[in-house]
Amino acid sequence: MLLIENLQGELTEEQLKEIVKESLKDFSSVKKVLLIHPDYTRTDFTDKLIPFIYQELKNKGMTQIDSLNAGGTHRAMTEKEIRVKLGLSNQINFTHFYNHEYNDPQKLIIVGEIPASFVAEKTQGELSQSIPVVVNKLITEDYDLIIALSGTLPHEAAGYAGGLKVFLPGISGPEVIDLFHWVAVLMGIPQIIGTVDNPAREVINKGSSYIFDKIKAPTISFNMVFEEEHQVIPKGLYIGAGYNGFIEAYKQASRTSAQLHVIYLDEPLECAVQVIDKNYDEIWTAGKGSYKLQSTGVMASGGEIIIYAPHINCFHSRPEMNLALRQIGYHCKDYVKKYLKSNPDFSKNIAAHVINVRGAGSFDVNSGKEEFDFKVTLATEIPQEVCKSVGLGYRNPDSIRKEDFIGQGKLWIQNGGKYLYKIK
């Protein structure tokens, strides 16, 4: 594994160029390359790395380079968006720009199955069901090299983002994505987020082992760690090859992320405003503003999380998923588990999302009443009556002023959804 980091300053372009060159030095006759990259919801420094990777491979005789957007169930990216994401000038030409089409069977292949016994063990008996490992078939084609880029920061369903998560669920099929997120939610955000090793990550690793059995080409992981101010500041880059290299690079990147992306508070919060960036353009992704405040003790009992995003006007940009989210609403785990018994075909991915956003609570089966540990409020373009219909609070975004959320028990978070908060 290769790594370079500068936690007190910033990695320079020259340093990034040199470590890219070092990581690719053994690939002397690469003709056909597949590059797997994060999507528009991920802020990172992919745009700094790709031009160096492209030039280095071009110097080695590369004749074809395809990109695959590992967007999971997110919307597809336009070619223009992908070019910006990858930092491609007019002089850099990729052969194909692919979006992962998670719900197109023609683009997917089954490579294995995670046993039900393994799933049951990791969920402490909550779920006893096998998970078929279905993945984008591009990775099984005759490439000479596959490069996967990912950013690493605390993640609600994987502990930390990055590494093998780019395969599962990043370029997986719908059932894999559904069941993985459901497995994670059964374990609970507070038990997973900000942990390097956890049962959800073990599910990712197990599923990815079947994927690597089918990959013909050498495969390299570029794990990025960064901070955001007015721009992305590269702090660390961790590069590993092969299945074990992916895991080692992820672990090193996660340890660095833990130093940069976890903020410790002296006392619980009565009210927190998560100011959501425009690259999160739906509640599906802006919900991270709730996830990152759910560690034990961070929110005072009855406290309020406000997701402040005047640019957002939907729960999901895919109409069918937006409709499903409005159908089920945002509820606690016990309510959703009962809902799924009556609606067994309902998407478990969507079910996991609504639990994750709404947070911990209780549900009385007899009365149908829910009680929650804290409130979740939207200050977006979504109307008040719609917020109420799905069980979320509403504030007019025009009424939100920073000065009203400064002081004891209050917090204004400018980079909403990016940092994990814990009590000291």
Side-chain angles (χ1 to χ4, degrees):
M1 195 195 78
L2 294 172
L3 69 89
I4 185 170
E5 56 188 23
N6 183 353
L7 304 195
Q8 307 307 317
E10 178 177 0
L11 295 178
T12 66
E13 292 201 355
E14 191 57 39
Q15 288 175 307
L16 295 175
K17 186 176 182 180
E18 282 303 310
I19 195 171
V20 165
K21 187 174 183 178
E22 176 68 16
S23 69
L24 298 175
K25 68 178 184 180
D26 294 332
F27 299 96
S28 55
S29 57
V30 172
K31 299 296 183 185
K32 187 178 176 182
V33 176
L34 177 64
L35 184 94
I36 307 173
H37 65 84
D39 77 350
Y40 65 98
T41 65
R42 269 53 178 175
T43 303
D44 47 50
F45 53 95
T46 302
D47 59 322
K48 295 184 185 297
L49 291 176
I50 298 303
F52 298 144
I53 292 171
Y54 177 88
Q55 192 55 56
E56 191 63 26
L57 292 173
K58 201 72 175 169
N59 293 343
K60 294 175 179 293
M62 177 182 67
T63 57
Q64 176 178 337
I65 181 167
D66 301 333
S67 70
L68 175 59
N69 168 31
T73 57
H74 298 165
R75 67 165 175 82
M77 295 175 71
T78 65
E79 183 176 325
K80 182 179 179 181
E81 285 180 310
I82 294 172
R83 292 190 70 91
V84 171
K85 177 70 183 176
L86 303 187
L88 305 186
S89 65
N90 292 333
Q91 287 71 46
I92 298 179
N93 294 306
F94 275 47
T95 313
H96 300 104
F97 296 103
Y98 294 109
N99 279 292
H100 173 57
E101 298 177 49
Y102 77 99
N103 55 358
D104 183 352
Q106 301 301 314
K107 304 293 176 63
L108 303 170
I109 186 171
I110 300 173
V111 296
E113 185 172 78
I114 302 174
S117 58
F118 185 88
V119 175
E121 177 191 340
K122 300 310 169 188
T123 60
Q124 297 184 323
E126 284 263 27
L127 182 68
S128 183
Q129 180 179 344
S130 62
I131 303 177
V133 182
V134 181
V135 69
N136 193 299
K137 64 168 55 174
L138 277 174
I139 62 164
T140 65
E141 294 189 1
D142 293 322
Y143 288 99
D144 299 312
L145 177 65
I146 296 175
I147 296 175
L149 291 91
S150 57
T152 298
L153 66 168
H155 190 276
E156 66 283 352
Y160 284 87
L164 293 171
K165 185 177 175 293
V166 78
F167 296 109
L168 195 160
I171 58 169
S172 296
E175 190 171 4
V176 185
I177 296 172
D178 270 21
L179 287 174
F180 166 70
H181 284 98
W182 187 240
V183 164
V185 86
L186 289 173
M187 299 169 194
I189 287 178
Q191 285 69 48
I192 294 176
I193 195 166
T195 62
V196 177
D197 295 303
N198 57 69
R201 185 49 78 160
E202 290 176 45
V203 171
I204 292 174
N205 293 350
K206 183 72 171 178
S208 296
S209 69
Y210 298 109
I211 294 171
F212 270 74
D213 286 344
K214 298 296 183 181
I215 294 177
K216 303 170 187 174
T219 308
I220 301 177
S221 173
F222 283 73
N223 264 55
M224 300 168 279
V225 178
F226 47 87
E227 282 189 325
E228 292 180 63
E229 290 182 5
H230 300 299
Q231 59 184 13
V232 175
I233 301 172
K235 292 287 186 176
L237 182 61
Y238 308 83
I239 305 172
Y243 176 78
N244 291 326
F246 267 72
I247 293 174
E248 184 58 30
Y250 156 76
K251 288 185 174 182
Q252 291 282 359
S254 298
R255 293 183 189 112
T256 301
S257 176
Q259 299 176 60
L260 298 176
H261 300 142
V262 182
I263 296 174
Y264 291 88
L265 304 172
D266 292 316
E267 59 184 6
L269 296 169
E270 298 289 344
C271 186
V273 178
Q274 292 270 26
V275 183
I276 303 299
D277 292 348
K278 289 192 175 181
N279 61 317
Y280 294 162
D281 57 3
E282 54 196 355
I283 300 302
W284 187 259
T285 48
K288 292 177 185 293
S290 177
Y291 310 160
K292 299 291 173 68
L293 291 166
Q294 292 186 28
S295 292
T296 304
V298 167
M299 295 305 300
S301 179
E304 182 181 22
I305 298 171
I306 300 172
I307 296 175
Y308 176 52
H311 59 283
I312 290 179
N313 60 15
C314 65
F315 297 101
H316 201 291
S317 56
R318 292 181 185 271
E320 69 279 10
M321 294 183 73
N322 191 67
L323 183 64
L325 285 163
R326 292 188 61 170
Q327 174 188 331
I328 187 172
Y330 288 79
H331 299 278
C332 70
K333 186 192 298 185
D334 287 343
Y335 177 100
V336 174
K337 286 169 71 174
K338 182 177 183 294
Y339 183 90
L340 290 178
K341 285 182 180 179
S342 304
N343 301 272
D345 295 330
F346 191 83
S347 165
K348 289 184 172 63
N349 188 23
I350 291 175
H353 162 79
V354 301
I355 296 168
N356 285 340
V357 171
R358 193 59 193 85
S362 62
F363 172 62
D364 187 304
V365 178
N366 296 319
S367 67
K369 185 179 179 182
E370 286 182 276
E371 293 185 0
F372 295 95
D373 292 0
F374 50 82
K375 293 177 279 190
V376 179
T377 298
L378 302 185
T380 67
E381 281 191 38
I382 298 173
Q384 182 173 5
E385 62 273 16
V386 176
C387 292
K388 185 178 180 181
S389 72
V390 297
L392 298 176
Y394 169 84
R395 289 204 190 204
N396 186 331
D398 293 339
S399 71
I400 304 293
R401 300 184 304 170
K402 182 176 180 180
E403 56 266 31
D404 294 335
F405 300 95
I406 306 296
Q408 189 172 1
K410 300 177 180 179
L411 190 62
W412 179 272
I413 304 169
Q414 193 61 45
N415 287 309
K418 305 293 178 69
Y419 293 87
L420 173 62
Y421 287 81
K422 291 186 176 183
I423 292 290
K424 283 183 182 176

